[in-house]
């Protein structure tokens, strides 16, 4: 498959006022040189702690935010160079779904109005808006008789389905999914993930999938990018990342997953403290202030994201660091995955699995 999306050295700095009445300004280094490629029909997961810049990357890709520098290529076209008018019509091909669909649905619009609005805006399905709205409901496993209802009449999982239906209304090629299941119960998570995978197969969609649950990521992603303080610190296909995580940060994220059996032992690598303030990120390697392996060079030199055998890592010393307990950590991910998959089997993508 050809490359659908290419992020090329994306940077987003937010200037902010530090004092209410003062003129002193500071810059939030939200995203600092992020590059990746995504092929049609594939899913790239973006993982990392809160505040690492994942949502900002998602919004830059859709050009809901203007980058400070860098480019976004989509289907061979430079999105960052499109005039606003052309970007508006292009946006049909790039959609976003959110963690909390309720906040992105208009409470005063029925589901039908919600689904018809983007059709009208982009001149799609002329003369058959109502039929198209019913088709979209069918596509996401909701009964068409719900079209006349309002968002508050649905459960969280059903609202996420409506959010997905609205994104699909304009027949996109790429969907940025920003923590789409983080707020849902495990069994409902499984339904939504199944639905997203089923839609991907049927419609050839590409996903940028932002998540913090590594079991969900292991299920849905083809590739994984690990972000820390505005940088991608590791990028690999799913198998490579979970089987042999190279960056100490990735290793720490994996080792933070609780072990399935009580009493099971492994060496855990605990992440101390919080992500540092992105207004003044640490010099050199941004992870060094929390890294147990940090040395002098880490404070002086920013490690480049280097590829070795299709697996990239940004760490000066990764070859010297044995992946501690990585295999055990992966067992913990798998255990969670087995439970999720049990939920997948019992729920499938059947319709009306929830009642209102
Ligand atoms: N509009 C904004 N103005 C100032 N800072 C922002 C803005 N949006 C995001 N940030 C900051 O950028 C950093 C990255 O945020 P975000 O992309 O939301 O992270 P994530 O999605 O990984 O939690 C955070 O420190 C956040 O506070
Ligand atoms: Mg976010």
């Amino acid at each position: 498959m050809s490359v659908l999306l290419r992020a090329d050295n994306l940077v987003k700095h937010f200037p902010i006022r530090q004092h209410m009445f003062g003129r002193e300004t500071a810059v939030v280094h939200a995203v600092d040189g992020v590059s990746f490629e995504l092929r049609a029909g594939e899913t790239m997961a973006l993982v990392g702690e809160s505040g690492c810049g994942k949502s900002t990357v998602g919004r830059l890709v859709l050009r809901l935010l203007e980058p400070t520098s860098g480019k976004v290529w989509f289907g061979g076209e430079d999105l960052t160079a499109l005039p606003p008018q052309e970007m508006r019509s292009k946006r049909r091909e790039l959609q976003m779904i959110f963690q909390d669909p309720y906040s992105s649905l208009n409470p005063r619009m029925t589901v039908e109005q919600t689904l018809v609005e983007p059709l009208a805006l982009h001149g799609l399905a002329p003369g058959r808006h109502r039929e198209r709205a019913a088709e979209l409901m069918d596509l996401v496993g909701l009964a068409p008789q719900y079209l006349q209802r309002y968002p508050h009449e649905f459960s969280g999982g059903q609202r996420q389905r409506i959010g997905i239906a609205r994104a699909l209304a304009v027949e996109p090629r790429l969907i940025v999914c920003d923590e789409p299941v983080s707020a849902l119960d495990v069994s409902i998570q499984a339904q939504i993930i199944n639905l997203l995978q089923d839609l991907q197969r049927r419609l050839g969609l590409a996903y940028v999938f932002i998540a913090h649950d590594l079991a969900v990521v292991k299920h849905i992603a083809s590739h994984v990018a690990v972000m820390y303080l505005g940088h991608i610190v590791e990028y690999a296909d799913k198998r490579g990342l979970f089987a042999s995580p190279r960056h100490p940060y990735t290793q720490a994220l994996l080792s933070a997953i609780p072990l399935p059996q009580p009493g099971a032992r492994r060496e855990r690598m605990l992440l101390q403290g919080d992500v540092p303030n992105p207004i003044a990120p640490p010099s050199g390697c941004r992870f060094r202030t929390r890294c147990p392996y940090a040395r002098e060079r880490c404070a002086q030199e920013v490690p480049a994201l280097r590829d070795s055998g299709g697996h990239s890592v940004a760490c000066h010393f990764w070859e010297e660091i044995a992946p501690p307990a990585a295999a055990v950590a992966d067992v913990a991910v798998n255990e969670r995955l087995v439970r999720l998959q049990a939920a997948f089997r019992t729920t499938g993508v059947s319709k009306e699995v929830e009642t209102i």
Side-chain angles (χ1 to χ4, degrees), residues 222-241:
S222 27
H223 293 81
V224 184
V226 181
M227 276 194 83
Y228 188 76
L229 262 183
H231 289 166
I232 291 180
V233 298
E234 184 159 0
Y235 175 85
D237 64 26
K238 164 169 70 180
R239 183 194 288 259
L241 189 108

Side-chain angles (χ1 to χ4, degrees), residues 54-55 178-179 210:
K54 306 179 297 296
S55 296
D178 194 350
E179 311 236 11
I210 299 171

